[in-house]
Amino acid sequence: MISYLKGKVAEVAKNSNNRFFVILEVQGIGYEIQIPSRLSRQISVSSEEDIQIFTHLQIREDQQILYGFSSLAERDLFRQLISVTGIGSQLAIALIETFELSELVQAIVTANIRILIKAPGVGKKTAERISLELKTKLSQWRNGAGITTSTRENMPSLEILEDVELTLLALGYTNEEIDSVISILSKDQLLMKNPTVEEWIRNAIAWLSKE
């Protein structure tokens, strides 16, 4: 198993399927590695510095694919994701591309389906399956991996989140506005102690009306 490769970037490209690849030259050998789009924007062909890419080798009957990641934690999370029933490598890449590492782990551990379905190709049932199969594993893994996430006490209940989102969407607010107002209101200690969805909706509308 190849844990990582360290060498010079020979090329960064995107194929016809909108998948990003880097050609990494290591001791005269060019390795083709599929990488998340975020990593493709972070590396430069013109740089003379060696870069380190953590890898996962997938072997199929008809081909071998080498996947690359910027950190050991990101590679390990990819492996956790593809262990979920029905989750392939491309869907796992899509999740990693869509969210920051800590945000993705937090969403899975807290079963925040509303967040997970924002990733391309991830529907509600898929998001629920990911959370069901990984939330316990990732809750333990994130501490050892050094990933800092907020606690559930810093977020309203899932029932409140869903009701607030549905109400605000019906009123014409965007997902970005809803995410923003929930993040801000979650810092209000008095509101966090109030379990009624009506109070959350009233405060959310009041705050958004000021903008």
Side-chain angles (χ1 to χ4, degrees):
M1 181 66 69
I2 303 172
S3 179
Y4 68 85
L5 292 170
K6 191 172 184 179
K8 289 183 171 56
V9 177
E11 182 182 358
V12 179
K14 182 172 69 171
N15 67 12
S16 58
N17 294 321
N18 290 320
R19 295 171 184 172
F20 290 84
F21 291 85
V22 60
I23 305 298
L24 193 68
E25 185 176 335
V26 182
Q27 297 181 351
I29 301 175
Y31 291 88
E32 181 180 275
I33 309 169
Q34 184 179 338
I35 56 176
S37 58
R38 184 186 298 116
L39 179 55
S40 73
R41 297 189 292 269
Q42 296 172 350
I43 58 182
S44 172
V45 177
S46 60
S47 175
E48 293 298 322
E49 299 290 329
D50 284 356
I51 68 166
Q52 184 177 38
I53 296 180
F54 294 88
T55 58
H56 172 82
L57 178 62
Q58 183 180 78
I59 300 177
R60 297 177 176 174
E61 292 183 0
D62 57 340
Q63 63 180 330
Q64 296 183 12
I65 304 176
L66 197 59
Y67 295 94
F69 305 91
S70 60
S71 68
L72 182 62
E74 189 174 79
R75 194 273 308 277
D76 289 349
L77 180 57
F78 171 81
R79 288 177 172 173
Q80 297 269 19
L81 289 168
I82 62 176
S83 72
V84 175
T85 305
I87 303 300
S89 55
Q90 299 310 320
L91 200 55
I93 291 286
L95 284 158
I96 290 172
E97 288 180 334
T98 304
F99 307 105
E100 295 295 335
L101 200 61
S102 59
E103 182 184 13
L104 177 55
V105 173
Q106 174 77 358
I108 294 172
V109 169
T110 60
N112 195 331
I113 308 305
R114 180 180 64 89
I115 293 293
L116 292 174
I117 60 175
K118 293 181 179 180
V122 178
K124 184 177 179 181
K125 289 185 178 180
T126 300
E128 290 173 343
R129 189 185 315 123
I130 292 171
S131 180
L132 179 64
E133 295 191 26
L134 291 185
K135 61 182 178 181
T136 301
K137 292 180 182 178
L138 293 187
S139 181
Q140 300 168 347
W141 170 81
R142 62 180 173 180
N143 296 324
I147 297 174
T148 303
T149 58
S150 59
T151 62
R152 275 302 297 164
E153 286 74 22
N154 292 332
M155 290 290 289
S157 69
L158 293 178
E159 291 77 11
I160 287 178
L161 283 174
E162 291 177 356
D163 286 346
V164 170
E165 180 186 23
L166 289 173
T167 300
L168 295 180
L169 284 173
L171 292 174
Y173 292 104
T174 66
N175 283 318
E176 289 75 16
E177 289 173 321
I178 296 169
D179 289 342
S180 178
V181 74
I182 288 175
S183 176
I184 290 171
L185 293 181
S186 295
K187 298 174 183 177
D188 186 329
Q189 295 303 312
L190 290 176
L191 187 59
M192 287 298 295
K193 294 177 181 178
N194 190 331
T196 65
V197 68
E198 292 80 8
E199 189 68 14
W200 273 86
I201 292 173
R202 187 182 67 79
N203 278 270
I205 294 174
W207 189 89
L208 288 168
S209 298
K210 298 176 184 177
E211 296 297 299

